[in-house]
Amino acid sequence: MVDRGGVDEIVALFAEDAVLLTPYLGNGRCEDRAAIRAWHEIYDSEIRIGRRHRRHSITVPFITVDGETPTSDCYLDSSTILTEPKVINISCGRYDDKLVMVGGTWLFLERIINIHYIHRIAEFDEPP
């Protein structure tokens, strides 16, 4: 979804009172769907626009159900080509999520995006 979905599609995955935490960017906490939308609009216009061949892969989520708020943890690997400068950007991290059922659909109540490292590769071959 993050690779091909638009802002509306991504934000629809969050509950109205959800929280998005992005400690790897140092920009803290978005506390409700409107703030999450604003964060994704900036991400879309400032970060996604300068990248191509984006690809996220996640591991099978480890879901724990204990009461009304299940949690889910999964690792992520991401690669993309930055158009300026032309390098491959590879990152690795983990999503830590709390989930809530809203109207029969599971949504994010809280998502923490933890990036463990980012590696850039300056030399690479790209098919014509």
Side-chain angles (χ1 to χ4, degrees), residues 75-79 90-94 114-119:
Y75 290 97
L76 69 99
D77 294 308
S78 172
S79 66
I90 298 172
S91 57
C92 178
R94 190 180 72 236
N114 295 294
I115 299 298
H116 299 147
Y117 66 82
I118 298 172
H119 179 73

Side-chain angles (χ1 to χ4, degrees), residues 68-84:
E68 297 293 315
T69 308
T71 60
S72 173
D73 301 314
C74 61
Y75 290 97
L76 69 99
D77 294 308
S78 172
S79 66
T80 188
I81 295 176
L82 304 179
T83 54
E84 201 50 52

Side-chain angles (χ1 to χ4, degrees), residues 11-26:
V11 172
L13 300 173
F14 290 85
E16 288 293 334
D17 58 345
V19 175
L20 173 65
L21 299 154
T22 56
Y24 76 101
L25 292 173

Side-chain angles (χ1 to χ4, degrees), residues 4 6-7 17 23 28 41 50 59 84-85 94-95 102 118-119 123 126:
R4 292 182 285 175
V7 171
D17 58 345
E41 286 172 347
T59 61
E84 201 50 52
R94 190 180 72 236
Y95 292 120
V102 177
I118 298 172
H119 179 73
E123 281 191 43
E126 189 173 9

